[in-house]
Amino acid sequence: MSRLTIAPITEASGQAAQLFAAIKAGVGKVPNAYAGIGMLSPVALESVLHLDGALRKSTLSPQEIETVKLAVSEQAGCDYCLAAHTLMGRKVGLQDAAMLGLRHGRPSGDARLDLLAEFARSLVATRGTAPAELVERVRAAYSDAQIVDTLLAVTAITFTNLYNRVNDTALDFPPAP
């Protein structure tokens, strides 16, 4: 049950109603996280959507973006984001066993994605002060632009992790394995 007081989206007006209509047109429904964020702060929801839009234009592939989001969500203990991004991971071609490996620091079958997940987990665990050796390993596999875009992905998912943890957002996706 939500901890924050959130009106039903049927009561949305103005910017929130416009954002919800666009989300529903794109994905068929307004996920609980977006509904809560948008009803409480349309500006915050618009920012989240813009960040995700920027990520889609970034130097990271959809699989790389989902790798970062899964690794960070696991670190944060955000069941909601793990459920949502497990579905997204499947849509971009990640297998369940690989996603579990990426989340838990075990081999996923893709050494490059394993390294990216390790980097994302390290960024969260060290508050950005990743060990120099790790940064050099990442630089050997990814461009500096991809590293910056990874930071953007960490930023985007961190906001929704925090929101869902504070709110205790009810799952409206199947739970992550």
Side-chain angles (χ1 to χ4, degrees):
M1 182 162 157
S2 297
R3 294 180 189 170
L4 303 176
T5 304
I6 303 165
I9 65 170
T10 55
E11 296 179 19
S13 62
Q15 183 183 15
Q18 291 172 352
L19 292 168
F20 294 154
I23 292 166
K24 190 170 183 179
V27 296
K29 71 175 189 172
V30 179
N32 287 343
Y34 285 174
I37 294 167
M39 286 303 291
L40 296 170
S41 176
V43 169
L45 179 58
E46 183 178 40
S47 297
V48 167
L49 297 173
H50 281 299
L51 278 175
D52 282 337
L55 279 172
R56 285 191 297 276
K57 297 176 191 174
S58 77
T59 60
L60 297 176
S61 72
Q63 288 186 343
E64 290 164 339
I65 292 167
E66 293 309 319
T67 292
V68 171
K69 289 185 174 189
L70 285 164
V72 172
S73 295
E74 183 67 37
Q75 283 285 118
C78 183
D79 292 341
Y80 189 94
C81 288
L82 285 171
H85 291 286
T86 295
L87 282 180
M88 292 301 298
R90 288 177 185 141
K91 286 184 180 185
V92 301
L94 294 171
Q95 300 300 311
D96 284 354
M99 288 188 281
L100 283 170
L102 294 167
R103 287 172 44 197
H104 297 289
R106 297 189 305 257
S108 69
D110 185 323
R112 230 170 143 254
L113 291 180
D114 293 345
L115 178 61
L116 188 62
E118 178 185 356
F119 182 55
R121 283 190 304 276
S122 177
L123 290 170
V124 173
T126 66
R127 296 181 301 227
T129 310
E133 171 274 327
L134 177 57
V135 173
E136 287 310 310
R137 284 193 295 125
V138 172
R139 288 190 74 215
Y142 290 92
S143 70
D144 288 354
Q146 288 172 308
I147 291 170
V148 171
D149 288 339
T150 298
L151 302 177
L152 181 63
V154 170
T155 300
I157 195 63
T158 297
F159 175 80
T160 52
N161 286 170
L162 290 170
Y163 171 78
N164 290 314
R165 298 285 301 190
V166 166
N167 184 49
D168 197 19
T169 305
L171 280 178
D172 52 350
F173 300 105

